[in-house]
Amino acid sequence: MSDLNDSRGARGETAKFSVPLPNPALRAALFAKIAAESAPVRPIQRRWDAAIRLGGFLASITIFTIVGGVSVGERPAGYVAAMAIAWGALFVLLSRLLVPPPGAALGPRRATLAAIVVGAPLALTVLVVVGRLLWPATASCDGPNNHSGRCFFYSCLFSAPILLAFIVARGGTVMRDVALHGAAFGAIAGCFGALLITLRCVYAVVPHLLLGHVAPVILLGVVVALLAEPILRFRER
Amino acid sequence: MNAYADGDDRALNVVYDALAPRLFGFFLRRARSREVAEDLLQRTFLQIHRHRANFLRGAAVAPWAFAIGRRLFLDHVRDRGTERRRLGERDDDGLEFLTGGSDPEAVASAREEAAHFLKRLELLPENQRIAFELVRIDGLSMAEAADFLGASVSATKVRCHRAYKALGLLDGQLRGEAPENADNGGKADR
């Protein structure tokens, strides 16, 4: 198996090395220890994970409803519907990318995670610009100076339960590229927040949408990436 | 592992038999201490047990178990406040755990060769060294190593190939095998 196991000596003789096996007593001690403690099994964990995800989703929708729910204002109804569908589809697509490919034990590939992190704000920006081009009337849907800050806050607020659900469900488990995973969680949660704030906010000018709706996606990605090591990394139980 | 993750405790025997020797070698080669390697092996299996509910259905178990083992080893190094010891900083070669062979002179000579090989391994760029170690020494398949590294299988093959080239294994300096044989170096335990 290994170059350490089969190496040629200076005089050309071949010496077969054997890396020793673990002590058999270790196996007995380990199995006794494991038999003495019960550990959660996958069917129960799957139900628990589904409940956490549902809880995060419902909490986010509840906050959205308390804040006031959907509001169209002077925006064209077609624009609002198209934005809701497109931003919602983006959220679903990015969430789907987070599911590891068959056979992968440690999460999606690094390139996929990076694509989620970079692609989320980029795709939202493209949708904002496309929306402006397809519905020129939205150029007049502007508001007071401080409205971008308020949307930024609400977007983060709507994203928080989804993000919390990610952290509770995945934190401390075995994953590769913890910071990238964290950034992807932040970006996807931010996308959901951006979807809800777009349903709520009646202003549709491009600078406002970029500052108040898209920027939180970037912020959440960066913040969770920075905090990923303490909150997400594998923890010995 | 799937049966074990679903609650069949008897399946742990199969998981242990498949993983323990490879994980033990993994720890032994890094820690150069039988005691530490056994402690880390025990801790790794305890974590496999406690985290089994998070094991993804149909996934390869080796990258998952090695990721746990690697994390525990890094924690061990950090807790001890020591940097990973390099061969050049030791008085001995740290390979006393390698045993075997009937001719003591041949064993000593080959052990020296192994120490020399490990020194050269240490000089490789990290991404090449880890890919090489996983496939050639730890016995993971290319797909398992790729999963561990978060890279594509082809990128992992390229890293291994460069490591083979840098180590002079392509022209059979240490072994007379074609490097492509390493593609079958491990089996996915699912």
Side-chain angles (χ1 to χ4, degrees), chain A residues 90-121:
Chain A
L90 182 66
F91 171 73
V92 172
L93 173 72
L94 295 178
S95 305
R96 187 80 194 98
L97 284 177
L98 206 53
V99 177
L106 302 172
R109 278 175 37 200
R110 191 167 291 145
T112 308
L113 290 172
I116 292 172
V117 175
V118 177

CSV table of all heavy atoms in Angstrom, one decimal, chain A residues 90-121:
chain,number,residue,atom,x,y,z
A,90,LEU,N,-33.9,32.0,-7.6
A,90,LEU,CA,-32.5,32.0,-7.3
A,90,LEU,C,-32.2,31.4,-5.9
A,90,LEU,O,-31.2,30.7,-5.7
A,90,LEU,CB,-32.0,33.5,-7.3
A,90,LEU,CG,-30.5,33.7,-7.0
A,90,LEU,CD1,-29.7,33.1,-8.2
A,90,LEU,CD2,-30.2,35.2,-6.9
A,91,PHE,N,-33.0,31.7,-4.9
A,91,PHE,CA,-32.9,31.2,-3.6
A,91,PHE,C,-33.0,29.6,-3.6
A,91,PHE,O,-32.1,28.9,-3.0
A,91,PHE,CB,-34.0,31.7,-2.6
A,91,PHE,CG,-34.0,31.1,-1.3
A,91,PHE,CD1,-33.1,31.3,-0.4
A,91,PHE,CD2,-35.1,30.2,-1.0
A,91,PHE,CE1,-33.1,30.6,0.9
A,91,PHE,CE2,-35.1,29.5,0.2
A,91,PHE,CZ,-34.2,29.8,1.2
A,92,VAL,N,-33.9,29.1,-4.4
A,92,VAL,CA,-34.1,27.7,-4.5
A,92,VAL,C,-32.9,27.1,-5.2
A,92,VAL,O,-32.3,26.0,-4.7
A,92,VAL,CB,-35.4,27.3,-5.2
A,92,VAL,CG1,-35.5,25.8,-5.5
A,92,VAL,CG2,-36.6,27.8,-4.4
A,93,LEU,N,-32.4,27.7,-6.2
A,93,LEU,CA,-31.3,27.2,-7.0
A,93,LEU,C,-30.0,27.1,-6.1
A,93,LEU,O,-29.3,26.1,-6.1
A,93,LEU,CB,-31.0,28.0,-8.2
A,93,LEU,CG,-29.8,27.7,-9.0
A,93,LEU,CD1,-29.9,26.4,-9.8
A,93,LEU,CD2,-29.4,28.8,-10.0
A,94,LEU,N,-29.8,28.2,-5.4
A,94,LEU,CA,-28.6,28.3,-4.5
A,94,LEU,C,-28.7,27.2,-3.4
A,94,LEU,O,-27.7,26.6,-3.0
A,94,LEU,CB,-28.4,29.7,-4.0
A,94,LEU,CG,-28.1,30.8,-5.0
A,94,LEU,CD1,-28.0,32.1,-4.3
A,94,LEU,CD2,-26.8,30.5,-5.8
A,95,SER,N,-29.9,27.1,-2.8
A,95,SER,CA,-30.1,26.1,-1.8
A,95,SER,C,-29.8,24.7,-2.3
A,95,SER,O,-29.2,23.8,-1.6
A,95,SER,CB,-31.5,26.2,-1.2
A,95,SER,OG,-31.8,27.4,-0.8
A,96,ARG,N,-30.2,24.5,-3.5
A,96,ARG,CA,-30.0,23.2,-4.2
A,96,ARG,C,-28.5,22.9,-4.4
A,96,ARG,O,-28.1,21.8,-4.2
A,96,ARG,CB,-30.8,23.2,-5.5
A,96,ARG,CG,-30.8,21.8,-6.2
A,96,ARG,CD,-31.9,20.9,-5.6
A,96,ARG,NE,-31.7,19.5,-6.1
A,96,ARG,CZ,-31.1,18.6,-5.4
A,96,ARG,NH1,-30.6,18.9,-4.2
A,96,ARG,NH2,-30.9,17.4,-5.8
A,97,LEU,N,-27.8,23.9,-4.7
A,97,LEU,CA,-26.3,23.8,-4.9
A,97,LEU,C,-25.6,23.4,-3.7
A,97,LEU,O,-24.5,22.8,-3.7
A,97,LEU,CB,-25.7,25.1,-5.5
A,97,LEU,CG,-26.0,25.4,-7.0
A,97,LEU,CD1,-25.4,26.7,-7.3
A,97,LEU,CD2,-25.4,24.3,-7.9
A,98,LEU,N,-26.2,23.8,-2.5
A,98,LEU,CA,-25.6,23.5,-1.2
A,98,LEU,C,-25.7,22.0,-0.9
A,98,LEU,O,-25.0,21.5,0.0
A,98,LEU,CB,-26.3,24.3,-0.2
A,98,LEU,CG,-25.5,24.7,1.1
A,98,LEU,CD1,-24.1,25.3,0.7
A,98,LEU,CD2,-26.3,25.6,2.0
A,99,VAL,N,-26.6,21.3,-1.6
A,99,VAL,CA,-26.7,19.8,-1.3
A,99,VAL,C,-25.5,19.1,-1.9
A,99,VAL,O,-25.2,19.3,-3.1
A,99,VAL,CB,-28.0,19.3,-1.9
A,99,VAL,CG1,-28.1,17.8,-1.7
A,99,VAL,CG2,-29.2,20.0,-1.3
A,100,PRO,N,-24.7,18.4,-1.1
A,100,PRO,CA,-23.5,17.7,-1.7
A,100,PRO,C,-23.9,16.8,-2.8
A,100,PRO,O,-25.0,16.2,-2.8
A,100,PRO,CB,-23.0,16.9,-0.5
A,100,PRO,CG,-23.6,17.5,0.7
A,100,PRO,CD,-25.0,18.1,0.3
A,101,PRO,N,-23.0,16.7,-3.8
A,101,PRO,CA,-23.3,15.7,-4.9
A,101,PRO,C,-23.2,14.3,-4.3
A,101,PRO,O,-22.7,14.0,-3.3
A,101,PRO,CB,-22.1,16.0,-5.9
A,101,PRO,CG,-21.1,16.6,-5.1
A,101,PRO,CD,-21.8,17.4,-4.0
A,102,PRO,N,-23.9,13.3,-5.1
A,102,PRO,CA,-23.9,11.9,-4.6
A,102,PRO,C,-22.5,11.4,-4.3
A,102,PRO,O,-21.6,11.6,-5.1
A,102,PRO,CB,-24.5,11.2,-5.7
A,102,PRO,CG,-25.3,12.2,-6.5
A,102,PRO,CD,-24.6,13.5,-6.4
A,103,GLY,N,-22.3,10.8,-3.1
A,103,GLY,CA,-21.0,10.2,-2.8
A,103,GLY,C,-20.1,11.2,-2.0
A,103,GLY,O,-19.2,10.7,-1.3
A,104,ALA,N,-20.4,12.5,-2.0
A,104,ALA,CA,-19.5,13.4,-1.3
A,104,ALA,C,-19.9,13.4,0.2
A,104,ALA,O,-21.1,13.5,0.5
A,104,ALA,CB,-19.7,14.8,-1.9
A,105,ALA,N,-18.9,13.3,1.0
A,105,ALA,CA,-19.2,13.2,2.5
A,105,ALA,C,-19.0,14.6,3.2
A,105,ALA,O,-19.4,14.8,4.3
A,105,ALA,CB,-18.2,12.2,3.1
A,106,LEU,N,-18.3,15.5,2.5
A,106,LEU,CA,-17.8,16.7,3.2
A,106,LEU,C,-18.4,18.0,2.7
A,106,LEU,O,-17.9,19.1,2.9
A,106,LEU,CB,-16.3,16.8,3.2
A,106,LEU,CG,-15.6,15.6,3.9
A,106,LEU,CD1,-14.1,15.7,3.6
A,106,LEU,CD2,-15.9,15.5,5.4
A,107,GLY,N,-19.5,17.8,1.9
A,107,GLY,CA,-20.2,19.0,1.4
A,107,GLY,C,-19.9,19.2,-0.1
A,107,GLY,O,-19.1,18.4,-0.7
A,108,PRO,N,-20.4,20.3,-0.7
A,108,PRO,CA,-20.2,20.5,-2.1
A,108,PRO,C,-18.7,20.9,-2.3
A,108,PRO,O,-18.0,21.2,-1.4
A,108,PRO,CB,-21.0,21.8,-2.4
A,108,PRO,CG,-21.9,22.0,-1.2
A,108,PRO,CD,-21.3,21.3,0.0
A,109,ARG,N,-18.3,20.8,-3.6
A,109,ARG,CA,-17.0,21.1,-3.9
A,109,ARG,C,-16.7,22.6,-3.7
A,109,ARG,O,-17.6,23.4,-3.7
A,109,ARG,CB,-16.7,20.8,-5.4
A,109,ARG,CG,-16.4,19.3,-5.6
A,109,ARG,CD,-16.2,18.9,-7.0
A,109,ARG,NE,-15.6,19.9,-7.8
A,109,ARG,CZ,-15.7,19.9,-9.1
A,109,ARG,NH1,-16.4,19.0,-9.7
A,109,ARG,NH2,-15.0,20.8,-9.8
A,110,ARG,N,-15.4,22.9,-3.5
A,110,ARG,CA,-15.0,24.2,-3.2
A,110,ARG,C,-15.5,25.2,-4.2
A,110,ARG,O,-16.0,26.3,-3.9
A,110,ARG,CB,-13.5,24.3,-3.1
A,110,ARG,CG,-12.9,25.5,-2.5
A,110,ARG,CD,-11.4,25.3,-2.2
A,110,ARG,NE,-11.3,24.4,-1.0
A,110,ARG,CZ,-10.3,23.5,-0.9
A,110,ARG,NH1,-9.3,23.5,-1.9
A,110,ARG,NH2,-10.2,22.7,0.1
A,111,ALA,N,-15.4,24.8,-5.5
A,111,ALA,CA,-15.8,25.7,-6.6
A,111,ALA,C,-17.3,26.0,-6.6
A,111,ALA,O,-17.7,27.1,-6.9
A,111,ALA,CB,-15.4,25.0,-7.9
A,112,THR,N,-18.1,25.0,-6.1
A,112,THR,CA,-19.5,25.2,-6.0
A,112,THR,C,-19.8,26.2,-4.9
A,112,THR,O,-20.7,27.1,-5.1
A,112,THR,CB,-20.2,23.9,-5.7
A,112,THR,OG1,-19.8,22.9,-6.7
A,112,THR,CG2,-21.7,24.0,-5.8
A,113,LEU,N,-19.2,26.1,-3.8
A,113,LEU,CA,-19.4,27.0,-2.7
A,113,LEU,C,-19.0,28.4,-3.1
A,113,LEU,O,-19.7,29.4,-2.8
A,113,LEU,CB,-18.6,26.6,-1.5
A,113,LEU,CG,-19.0,25.3,-0.8
A,113,LEU,CD1,-18.0,24.9,0.3
A,113,LEU,CD2,-20.4,25.5,-0.1
A,114,ALA,N,-17.9,28.5,-3.8
A,114,ALA,CA,-17.4,29.8,-4.3
A,114,ALA,C,-18.4,30.4,-5.2
A,114,ALA,O,-18.7,31.6,-5.2
A,114,ALA,CB,-16.0,29.7,-4.9
A,115,ALA,N,-19.0,29.6,-6.1
A,115,ALA,CA,-19.9,30.1,-7.1
A,115,ALA,C,-21.2,30.6,-6.4
A,115,ALA,O,-21.8,31.6,-6.8
A,115,ALA,CB,-20.3,28.9,-8.0
A,116,ILE,N,-21.6,29.9,-5.3
A,116,ILE,CA,-22.8,30.4,-4.5
A,116,ILE,C,-22.5,31.8,-3.9
A,116,ILE,O,-23.2,32.7,-4.0
A,116,ILE,CB,-23.1,29.4,-3.4
A,116,ILE,CG1,-23.6,28.1,-3.9
A,116,ILE,CG2,-24.1,30.0,-2.4
A,116,ILE,CD1,-23.8,27.0,-2.9
A,117,VAL,N,-21.3,31.9,-3.3
A,117,VAL,CA,-20.9,33.1,-2.6
A,117,VAL,C,-20.8,34.3,-3.6
A,117,VAL,O,-21.3,35.4,-3.3
A,117,VAL,CB,-19.6,32.9,-1.8
A,117,VAL,CG1,-19.1,34.2,-1.2
A,117,VAL,CG2,-19.7,31.8,-0.8
A,118,VAL,N,-20.2,34.1,-4.7
A,118,VAL,CA,-20.0,35.1,-5.7
A,118,VAL,C,-21.2,35.3,-6.5
A,118,VAL,O,-21.6,36.5,-6.8
A,118,VAL,CB,-18.8,34.8,-6.6
A,118,VAL,CG1,-18.6,35.9,-7.7
A,118,VAL,CG2,-17.5,34.7,-5.8
A,119,GLY,N,-21.9,34.2,-6.8
A,119,GLY,CA,-23.0,34.2,-7.7
A,119,GLY,C,-24.2,34.9,-7.2
A,119,GLY,O,-25.0,35.5,-7.9
A,120,ALA,N,-24.5,34.8,-5.9
A,120,ALA,CA,-25.7,35.3,-5.3
A,120,ALA,C,-25.8,36.8,-5.4
A,120,ALA,O,-26.8,37.3,-6.1
A,120,ALA,CB,-25.8,34.9,-3.8
A,121,PRO,N,-24.9,37.6,-5.0
A,121,PRO,CA,-25.0,39.1,-5.2
A,121,PRO,C,-25.0,39.5,-6.6
A,121,PRO,O,-25.6,40.4,-7.1
A,121,PRO,CB,-23.9,39.7,-4.4
A,121,PRO,CG,-22.9,38.6,-4.1
A,121,PRO,CD,-23.7,37.3,-4.2
